[in-house]
Amino acid sequence: MNEINTKGKLVLGLQHILAMFGATVLVPFLTGLNPSVALLSAGLGTLIFHACTKKIVPVFLGSSFAFIGAISLVLRENGIAEVKGGVIAAGLVYVLVSQLVRIFGVEKVKSFFPPIVVGPTIVVIGLRLSPTALSMAGYSNGIFDTRSLIVSGTVVICMVLVSLLGKSFFKLVPILLSVVIGYLVAMALGMVDFTPIREASWIGFSPEAWTSLTTVPKFSLTSVLAIAPIAFVVFIEHIGDITTNGAVVGKDFFANPGISRTLLGDGMATVVAGLLGGPANTTYGENTGVLAVTKVYDPAILRIAACYAIVLSFIGKFGVILQTIPTPVMGGISVILFGMIASVGMRTLIEYKVDFSISRNLIIASLILVLGIGINNITIWRTVSLSGLAIAALVGVTLNKFFPEDR
């Protein structure tokens, strides 16, 4: 590799991490986890994924949005130790599914999670988070806080404009641009405290990050059941991402290295993220967007982006800057993001042409939506509880098999 190629790859690697940076740090901010640890988890997870997939799949792994509700709930009620245990369990679910796919084939495993189950479940994930988004945006007891509304409203408008009117690379970084603009507006309104930034060291982790890294994982049945089952839903998303990635690159990654290997890579990366105290990892659609824009498909560039993420995680002042982002800034992002998650579920139903004139489909979707949104948690035995999302998914999978389509 000559010097020009090296510089070009370094620049492209930086472009990739910029495209995925906003989404990667948004998840820990919303859940209460540490953003520096999330960056470290994403970087190490991407390198692990590449090692598991023969280094031929151009993918970057970042924080999964699907786990936001479950992780924030477990962190609030049970602490970081049980979050780590739940995320590790989610990674092991990925690993289990990868082996089932290797043995039985992907179609057999997918039959348990058809669009009529996955679509409404994704809708539930987004809608369950909507009250949190509005609360962060400044809404409480029927009114909006004026300063918070100005900041969150600016962020929402920026995201809309960049997403709809932006061109080439800028269209791929609406979250990052919106956070920067929202941060500047919040600064002008006196909502940013710079004291922690001045006091932070340049190199090293903050005390909060060290707490996350050094806490021993704890496996409780309640936390595992709250977090781990979500991996079954994200498994379908993973297949879609790898399919799209292969279509853009012009290679069949189902044939080589195989979907079982990509799932294994996702699983092992999530296990490591759990050990560190980061959120569960997943393949990023923004990554595929950057590939389509640059037309450069070298997986080594994604590994360079991973190294950037690892280096950034060790810069102490950078991590503290992320923690000083005012809540309304992320609230504005969340209003659109959580709505988009629900919309993805609806898009799944539309793309697969699910027929709601069939009573079977109508009943399954109805039960998933009502149970998933209406139930917070149900105690099933002593201190063991199930979230509404887990109950809804379980009911959906069961009914789908109990009432087959040909009946």
Side-chain angles (χ1 to χ4, degrees):
M1 188 191 309
N2 58 42
E3 186 179 358
I4 296 177
N5 286 337
T6 301
K7 288 182 178 179
K9 288 190 175 185
L10 288 173
V11 171
L12 287 170
L14 180 60
Q15 190 176 34
H16 273 273
I17 190 61
L18 285 174
M20 290 162 284
F21 174 81
T24 300
V25 300
L26 176 60
V27 173
F29 190 97
L30 297 177
T31 56
L33 298 179
N34 187 273
S36 294
V37 176
L39 279 173
L40 178 62
S41 301
L44 291 176
T46 298
L47 297 179
I48 291 169
F49 178 91
H50 282 246
C52 292
T53 55
K54 306 179 183 179
K55 299 181 179 180
I56 63 175
V57 184
V59 156
F60 184 93
L61 298 189
S63 309
S64 174
F65 295 121
F67 292 84
I68 290 174
I71 289 178
S72 58
L73 176 66
V74 173
L75 182 62
R76 183 173 64 250
E77 296 189 355
N78 304 98
I80 184 63
E82 294 200 15
V83 169
K84 295 178 81 168
V87 173
I88 291 171
L92 295 177
V93 169
Y94 273 123
V95 174
L96 172 63
V97 171
S98 74
Q99 297 311 299
L100 293 174
V101 167
R102 184 179 63 84
I103 296 170
F104 298 106
V106 67
E107 292 302 323
K108 188 70 173 179
V109 178
K110 280 176 64 178
S111 69
F112 286 88
F113 308 97
I116 187 57
V117 174
V118 172
T121 302
I122 296 175
V123 172
V124 167
I125 291 174
L127 294 184
R128 278 175 67 93
L129 293 168
S130 56
T132 301
L134 290 174
S135 174
M136 294 176 66
Y139 178 77
S140 177
N141 298 322
I143 59 174
F144 273 99
D145 173 73
T146 303
R147 289 197 305 171
S148 297
L149 180 60
I150 293 173
V151 174
S152 59
T154 300
V155 171
V156 169
I157 292 171
C158 181
M159 275 201 72
V160 171
L161 292 177
V162 173
S163 299
L164 297 181
L165 304 179
K167 295 182 178 180
S168 67
F169 176 71
F170 289 102
K171 197 169 185 176
L172 299 170
V173 290
I175 293 178
L176 180 60
L177 291 176
S178 300
V179 167
V180 171
I181 292 174
Y183 194 89
L184 294 175
V185 173
M187 283 173 53
L189 294 174
M191 299 174 67
V192 180
D193 180 10
F194 294 101
T195 304
I197 300 175
R198 289 192 294 267
E199 295 177 349
S201 60
W202 278 101
I203 303 298
F205 291 106
S206 65
E208 295 83 359
W210 272 117
T211 299
S212 174
L213 291 167
T214 56
T215 299
V216 178
K218 180 180 179 181
F219 297 88
S220 75
L221 191 57
T222 296
S223 299
V224 168
L225 289 176
I227 297 174
I230 299 173
F232 287 110
V233 178
V234 183
F235 145 70
I236 303 297
E237 180 185 47
H238 173 93
I239 292 175
D241 287 338
I242 296 299
T243 301
T244 305
N245 191 281
V248 169
V249 174
K251 294 183 179 180
D252 184 4
F253 294 131
F254 274 64
N256 184 31
I259 199 70
S260 62
R261 278 182 173 269
T262 62
L263 282 166
L264 177 63
D266 241 357
M268 296 307 298
T270 297
V271 168
V272 170
L275 289 170
L276 296 174
N281 281 323
T282 189
T283 49
Y284 260 17
E286 290 90 340
N287 162 68
T288 304
V290 178
L291 294 175
V293 169
T294 63
K295 310 295 182 184
V296 178
Y297 310 134
D298 187 351
I301 294 172
L302 279 303
R303 294 193 285 275
I304 291 173
C307 292
Y308 278 127
I310 293 171
V311 170
L312 286 173
S313 72
F314 281 93
I315 301 177
K317 284 189 181 295
F318 181 76
V320 174
I321 288 173
L322 296 178
Q323 292 178 300
T324 63
I325 298 175
T327 300
V329 174
M330 290 307 189
I333 298 290
S334 302
V335 167
I336 292 183
L337 178 65
F338 296 160
M340 288 178 65
I341 293 174
S343 298
V344 167
M346 296 169 63
R347 186 182 68 187
T348 300
L349 296 170
I350 294 170
E351 285 183 348
Y352 287 92
K353 300 179 180 179
V354 176
D355 188 354
F356 279 100
S357 66
I358 299 175
S359 297
R360 169 190 181 276
N361 293 340
L362 197 61
I363 290 172
I364 292 175
S366 299
L367 287 172
I368 290 175
L369 291 172
V370 172
L371 296 176
I373 297 172
I375 296 176
N376 186 17
N377 288 288
I378 288 183
T379 301
I380 57 175
W381 181 70
R382 295 186 179 178
T383 60
V384 178
S385 62
L386 281 178
S387 69
L389 176 62
I391 293 170
L394 180 61
V395 169
V397 169
T398 303
L399 289 181
N400 173 67
K401 284 299 181 182
F402 190 75
F403 295 115
E405 290 188 45
D406 56 6
R407 189 178 293 185

